[in-house]
Amino acid sequence: MEIMTKRPRGACAKIGIAVAFVFVLIVVAGVSAVTISYRNAEIDLRNQIEAKQQECELIFDQVWKTISQQGQVTADYRDSFRNIFVDIMDARHKEGSGQLMNWIQEANPNFDPGLHAKLMNSIEEQRMVFTREQKELISLAREHKTMLQRFPGSLFLSGRSPVDITLVTSSRTKESYRTGTDDNVQVFQK
C-alpha cells in the first residue's frame, strides 16, 4: 500500500517565495558588501592623495627655507671674508710699498669654497626629494582615477570625481609645454 502525502499548493508557493527572498537577500548583501569595499578603498586612496599633497607642501617649504638660509650663510661668509681681506690689504698698503708683497709669504685667510659646494649639493638633494614626492603624488592620482574609471569599480563609484592635485613647476616649464617648444638653451644669461 502506498501512502501518498499531498502537500497543499499553498505550501509549495510559500517555500518558493522563501527561497526567492533568501536569494534576493544574498544578492543584495553581496552587492552591498562589494559597494562598501569599493567605497572604502576609494576613500582611503583619496585621503592618501590629500595627505601626500600636504606632504609636498611641507617639503617645498623645507626646500625653500633650507636653500635660502644656506645661501644667506654663504653670502654672509663671503661678505665677512671680503671685509677681513680688504682690511688686511689696506693695513699692508698703509705700512709701505715693501710690505704689500709680504702677503705672498704670510699666512692669509683662505676663502673656503666648501660652503658653495654644500649649497649646490643641498639644492640638488632637496630638489630631488621634492620631485620624488611629486612623482608619488602623480602616481596616486593616476591610481585613483583608474579606480573610478575601471569596471566594475566604475559601477560602484559613479558620481565620485578624481582628486585634483597641484604640481609645482616653473613658469618656463609651463610655457614650454603650452607652446611645445623650448628654445632657451643658455645656461648662464648675460
Side-chain angles (χ1 to χ4, degrees):
M1 230 189 209
E2 232 175 270
I3 303 178
M4 293 187 106
T5 54
K6 289 187 175 183
R7 291 189 183 167
R9 288 187 183 189
C12 286
K14 288 180 184 177
I15 291 174
I17 290 172
V19 168
F21 179 74
V22 169
F23 178 75
V24 167
L25 192 61
I26 290 172
V27 169
V28 168
V31 169
S32 295
V34 171
T35 301
I36 290 169
S37 176
Y38 270 103
R39 290 200 179 254
N40 285 341
E42 190 272 338
I43 288 168
D44 288 345
L45 191 53
R46 181 178 293 272
N47 289 339
Q48 188 176 0
I49 291 167
E50 290 170 358
K52 180 57 73 176
Q53 183 75 59
Q54 290 174 339
E55 280 181 41
C56 285
E57 286 181 41
L58 286 174
I59 290 169
F60 184 79
D61 188 54
Q62 175 198 357
V63 167
W64 171 246
K65 287 176 181 173
T66 299
I67 293 169
S68 174
Q69 290 171 346
Q70 280 187 356
Q72 290 172 27
V73 168
T74 303
D76 185 63
Y77 176 76
R78 178 199 63 219
D79 293 342
S80 296
F81 181 83
R82 181 184 303 133
N83 292 338
I84 291 170
F85 202 74
V86 166
D87 289 346
I88 290 171
M89 296 313 279
D90 283 346
R92 287 186 181 147
H93 185 57
K94 289 178 185 175
E95 292 176 12
S97 61
Q99 296 291 326
L100 183 60
M101 295 309 286
N102 283 342
W103 70 275
I104 295 173
Q105 298 168 348
E106 295 174 357
N108 291 295
N110 293 319
F111 184 76
D112 181 12
L115 287 176
H116 284 97
K118 183 177 180 179
L119 178 59
M120 278 306 303
N121 288 339
S122 289
I123 290 169
E124 184 177 3
E125 180 183 314
Q126 296 291 327
R127 288 290 197 174
M128 286 174 43
V129 167
F130 184 66
T131 299
R132 183 181 63 238
E133 293 299 318
Q134 287 210 120
K135 284 180 179 180
E136 189 173 329
L137 180 63
I138 292 167
S139 180
L140 289 170
R142 178 206 45 80
E143 184 180 339
H144 183 259
K145 187 175 180 180
T146 300
M147 175 188 275
L148 295 178
Q149 294 175 340
R150 193 180 233 175
F151 184 81
S154 59
L155 294 176
F156 300 106
L157 300 172
S158 64
R160 301 292 288 176
S161 60
V163 177
D164 289 327
I165 61 172
T166 302
L167 300 176
V168 177
T169 64
S170 65
S171 299
R172 182 180 177 279
T173 299
K174 287 181 181 181
E175 181 64 15
S176 294
Y177 268 81
R178 188 187 69 73
T179 62
T181 59
D182 182 19
D183 294 330
N184 187 359
V185 292
Q186 291 290 333
V187 176
F188 300 105
Q189 300 289 331
K190 292 187 179 187

